[in-house]
Amino acid sequence: MSAARCVLRFRSAGNVGLAVSGGRTLVDLYINDAPTPAGHIRWLEPVPGTPGRWAYVLADGRATGLQSVLCRQDIEGMVAEYYFGAMTADRQRSA
């Protein structure tokens, strides 16, 4: 029996982005055919002396701890691992 299929869709941010000072929502993440995003990739403006960074937050604003100073594609890869790792964790432990 195969595992249920999960599709992650990264889309340009719509009107449902969170209003947070010092940053802006760039990308909304949808899982499967959900009508509302599961989370958002945000660009956080740099504080003097530090680099700017991308961060992934859940739709309700909770932080996931996923951040990157490299590039947006790097944070998108982290987000994919975050979701697909949770799906395969049980199989990895029982192997």
Side-chain angles (χ1 to χ4, degrees):
M1 192 160 119
S2 60
R5 193 172 120 189
C6 180
V7 177
L8 301 179
R9 291 183 173 86
F10 295 94
R11 295 183 185 159
S12 295
N15 295 336
V16 294
L18 299 170
V20 176
S21 62
R24 61 190 160 114
T25 301
L26 299 176
V27 177
D28 294 331
L29 172 73
Y30 293 84
I31 298 177
N32 296 328
D33 293 326
T36 58
H40 312 279
I41 293 178
R42 300 194 36 83
W43 169 250
L44 304 174
E45 297 295 333
V47 178
T50 64
R53 65 189 191 280
W54 290 266
Y56 178 68
V57 296
L58 298 175
D60 62 3
R62 289 182 292 148
T64 62
L66 300 176
Q67 296 185 12
S68 176
V69 295
L70 299 176
C71 63
R72 195 180 89 199
Q73 290 77 14
D74 186 46
I75 191 71
E76 288 175 2
M78 289 179 189
V79 170
E81 289 178 20
Y82 176 80
Y83 284 101
F84 292 132
M87 288 176 50
T88 60
D90 185 46
R91 274 186 264 150
Q92 290 174 350
R93 281 192 300 251
S94 61

